[in-house]
Amino acid sequence: MALVPCQVLRVAILLSYCSILCNYKAIEMPSHQTYGGSWKFLTFIDLVIQAVFFGICVLTDLSTLLTRDSGNQEQERQLRKLISLRDWTLAVLAFPVGVFVVAVFWTIYAYDREMIYPKLLDNFIPGWLNHGMHTTVLPFILIEMRTSHHQYPSRSSGLAAICTFSVAYIL
């Protein structure tokens, strides 16, 4: 029952997302006090999605370690459900939203910083937190995809789910 390096990495990533979320929520910014609070920012929603996804990954790893060689059919069935939830979350939310946030943020930032991240925000959000929210998402999700096997949902159900998320965010 030795831990595999990717399992330890998932715990470290989960802890880093929790740290970033806690530090971000501790910041006193005027925009957090208006309608929608932090939830109006796709970056914040993406951080929550990533934290939930890596939480599911850690839970799956723990369940796998605890139920290995148990022979209990019900536990194995529940584990398969958890694994399919993990894979669905990666394919439908964590990867597409994460890549979108990173790509759009840094593209607009390179074009005109004031459009997406005005210099005024440097007074509220430290540089390391900005990179934690807008940079580390992509390497973490790519490492997860490279180190673990995932079963992806059908194209039509995946597109329907991401479109539903997109419309819900816009509304």
Side-chain angles (χ1 to χ4, degrees), residues 7 10 52-68 78-87 144 148-150:
Q7 294 168 330
R10 285 178 178 162
V52 167
F53 169 69
F54 280 101
I56 293 170
C57 287
V58 169
L59 185 61
T60 303
D61 291 340
L62 287 173
S63 297
T64 302
L65 286 172
L66 295 174
T67 62
R68 182 178 294 161
Q78 294 297 329
L79 180 59
R80 282 193 301 275
K81 282 184 182 179
L82 194 57
I83 290 170
S84 67
L85 175 64
R86 177 198 69 187
D87 294 345
E144 169 61 28
S148 300
H149 174 74
H150 296 280

Side-chain angles (χ1 to χ4, degrees), residues 104-144:
V104 168
F105 177 83
W106 288 111
T107 301
I108 295 173
Y109 188 93
Y111 178 71
D112 183 9
R113 174 189 175 155
E114 293 297 316
M115 285 176 60
I116 197 158
Y117 194 78
K119 289 187 190 273
L120 172 70
L121 289 178
D122 289 339
N123 298 330
F124 298 101
I125 302 174
W128 69 267
L129 189 57
N130 179 31
H131 282 288
M133 295 185 304
H134 298 109
T135 306
T136 60
V137 173
L138 187 60
F140 286 167
I141 207 73
L142 290 176
I143 289 168
E144 169 61 28

Side-chain angles (χ1 to χ4, degrees), residues 4 20 44 51 58 61 73 78 80 101 118 137 147 149 158 162:
V4 179
I20 290 168
F44 179 74
V58 169
D61 291 340
Q73 295 296 331
Q78 294 297 329
R80 282 193 301 275
V101 165
V137 173
T147 59
H149 174 74
I162 192 66

